[in-house]
Amino acid sequence: MADLSAELRTQAAGVARLVIAKEVLRRAVRYVDQTTLMSDKPYFSAISKLSDVVTNLEKAAQNCKLTLAVLERAIRDAGTEQPDELTTLSLMLDCINDVTSRLDKESSTTGIRSSPLRQAICSVSEDILEANRSRSRLPALDVEAELWVFREASEGGCRYFAMLHADNRDMYHALSDHPSLTPMPYWSSPDPPDNLHREEWSARSALWKQLLGDAGIPAQNCTTFSLCGYYGLSLFSENGTLSEPAILSYLGEIDISVEARADYWARRQWSNRRFRDLNEKMGTQVPFSQIFKIIDEAKDADVSLEKSQIEAVLPKITADSLITRPCA
């Protein structure tokens, strides 16, 4: 099981890089699109000022470093072992501090605006830092994965059963394809999956009851192997800074076609109109049920006119367009 977890940990790191890089690149592409679609306004009104973003990120990182230092002292005084997550967080904060110092120096000495890719890196870094501080979730960047291993003793020896936990869909599918893992979901569901006979389902149910013990709580009856930490921003660390070339190497993994981007903005435009109309009609905050309904309706709405208008003005995306600073 230790060997299996080591294999999965290496695999998880690769998937985590892909997940994080895709989100950074999506944001960078949208910054380019926003600049184009709002070309009648100053660039700083389309995207928040770099200096403000850097200042907020730098202050948050400094506060988090101070809190982390106090926590580390408390752990040492208590004579307990420091969790791996704290070491990862410390490395991540060092990366963020280096990025902010470089961006701040660049902005103050040259007065020029940052590239879309740098804007995206800064934005993602700030979101991840805040999520770590507040322990909130960022579904698009959540790469946490664990392997829960259960041991069944018998006269012929021991058998081991593993449960894979990963909220991110890309992470889960990539790791669950490992040949040593057999998916065994739905242990507490009254209805069996479609691919199981009733007899097989009954046998699996009995097995899970035995593995989970009287409490029926998985976490109390297993050994846990951490495959990937809460957020893996430090996976892109290169000599203490985030590597733009490493992130750009994943550009082919996202759909940057004009058609796909125009469809995204057209449906967002359609949703915004519905939100605005509903707000004016209700005169109060729109309930979540209505928000989700509008989002679902936008997926099937006819946005052909808006899409064609947006397609006509969106530029082609290249690696150079993401690392080039926008004109004033």
Side-chain angles (χ1 to χ4, degrees), residues 222-244:
C222 70
T223 301
T224 303
F225 295 88
S226 177
L227 304 179
C228 192
Y230 195 58
Y231 292 108
L233 192 65
S234 58
L235 292 167
F236 279 106
S237 175
E238 184 180 274
N239 298 324
T241 184
L242 294 176
S243 169
E244 291 183 8

Side-chain angles (χ1 to χ4, degrees), residues 147-165:
L147 192 68
W148 291 10
V149 178
F150 301 84
R151 176 176 175 270
E152 181 195 35
S154 61
E155 293 181 359
C158 293
R159 291 196 302 170
Y160 296 89
F161 300 85
M163 283 175 57
L164 178 65
H165 282 267

Side-chain angles (χ1 to χ4, degrees), residues 45-106:
S45 67
I47 306 172
S48 59
K49 290 184 179 179
L50 174 64
S51 58
D52 292 339
V53 175
V54 172
T55 300
N56 293 336
L57 179 57
E58 187 174 21
K59 288 180 179 178
Q62 291 172 350
N63 291 336
C64 195
K65 286 285 283 186
L66 292 173
T67 304
L68 184 61
V70 174
L71 182 58
E72 288 175 342
R73 284 199 299 271
I75 291 174
R76 286 197 302 269
D77 293 343
T80 57
E81 185 176 350
Q82 179 171 298
D84 293 338
E85 288 80 5
L86 292 185
T87 302
T88 302
L89 178 57
S90 180
L91 292 172
M92 185 186 72
L93 291 170
D94 291 337
C95 292
I96 292 174
N97 281 327
D98 187 78
V99 170
T100 55
S101 63
R102 287 170 183 261
L103 290 175
D104 188 54
K105 180 179 179 181
E106 176 185 84

Side-chain angles (χ1 to χ4, degrees), residues 66-265:
L66 292 173
T67 304
L68 184 61
V70 174
L71 182 58
E72 288 175 342
R73 284 199 299 271
I75 291 174
R76 286 197 302 269
D77 293 343
T80 57
E81 185 176 350
Q82 179 171 298
D84 293 338
E85 288 80 5
L86 292 185
T87 302
T88 302
L89 178 57
S90 180
L91 292 172
M92 185 186 72
L93 291 170
D94 291 337
C95 292
I96 292 174
N97 281 327
D98 187 78
V99 170
T100 55
S101 63
R102 287 170 183 261
L103 290 175
D104 188 54
K105 180 179 179 181
E106 176 185 84
S107 179
S108 61
T109 57
T110 65
I112 56 179
R113 303 176 180 92
S114 177
S115 69
L117 184 58
R118 286 244 174 161
Q119 285 275 9
I121 290 174
C122 200
S123 170
V124 167
S125 302
E126 188 174 25
D127 286 350
I128 288 178
L129 183 61
E130 174 58 26
N132 270 289
R133 186 195 65 78
S134 62
R135 295 302 293 178
S136 56
R137 290 190 65 244
L138 289 174
L141 291 164
D142 189 351
V143 294
E144 187 173 22
E146 292 182 339
L147 192 68
W148 291 10
V149 178
F150 301 84
R151 176 176 175 270
E152 181 195 35
S154 61
E155 293 181 359
C158 293
R159 291 196 302 170
Y160 296 89
F161 300 85
M163 283 175 57
L164 178 65
H165 282 267
D167 288 332
N168 184 276
R169 185 174 299 176
D170 291 339
M171 180 72 77
Y172 181 83
H173 287 313
L175 299 182
S176 61
D177 285 341
H178 193 284
S180 295
L181 292 178
T182 301
M184 289 184 60
Y186 305 105
W187 73 87
S188 61
S189 173
D191 299 317
D194 295 335
N195 62 339
L196 283 185
H197 295 296
R198 180 65 61 176
E199 294 76 12
E200 293 176 294
W201 178 244
S202 298
R204 177 181 293 188
S205 178
L207 172 62
W208 273 117
K209 287 179 181 178
Q210 178 182 344
L211 294 174
L212 298 183
D214 296 334
I217 301 175
Q220 293 183 359
N221 294 274
C222 70
T223 301
T224 303
F225 295 88
S226 177
L227 304 179
C228 192
Y230 195 58
Y231 292 108
L233 192 65
S234 58
L235 292 167
F236 279 106
S237 175
E238 184 180 274
N239 298 324
T241 184
L242 294 176
S243 169
E244 291 183 8
I247 293 176
L248 282 173
S249 67
Y250 290 87
L251 190 57
E253 300 290 340
I254 64 172
D255 189 351
I256 56 175
S257 65
V258 170
E259 180 182 2
R261 289 151 53 209
D263 186 77
Y264 167 83
W265 290 109

Side-chain angles (χ1 to χ4, degrees), residues 244-312:
E244 291 183 8
I247 293 176
L248 282 173
S249 67
Y250 290 87
L251 190 57
E253 300 290 340
I254 64 172
D255 189 351
I256 56 175
S257 65
V258 170
E259 180 182 2
R261 289 151 53 209
D263 186 77
Y264 167 83
W265 290 109
R267 298 191 186 281
R268 181 166 173 174
Q269 190 179 88
W270 186 91
S271 299
N272 288 342
R273 283 201 307 269
R274 290 294 305 275
F275 285 135
R276 185 171 59 251
D277 293 344
L278 193 59
N279 267 324
E280 292 176 356
K281 181 180 179 180
M282 298 181 64
T284 58
Q285 185 175 359
V286 179
F288 281 113
S289 59
Q290 289 293 328
I291 293 175
F292 294 138
K293 183 180 179 181
I294 291 174
I295 292 173
D296 287 336
E297 290 174 349
K299 296 176 183 177
D300 301 318
D302 181 9
V303 294
S304 53
L305 178 60
E306 296 96 328
K307 184 177 175 181
S308 62
Q309 293 172 338
I310 295 173
E311 278 183 328

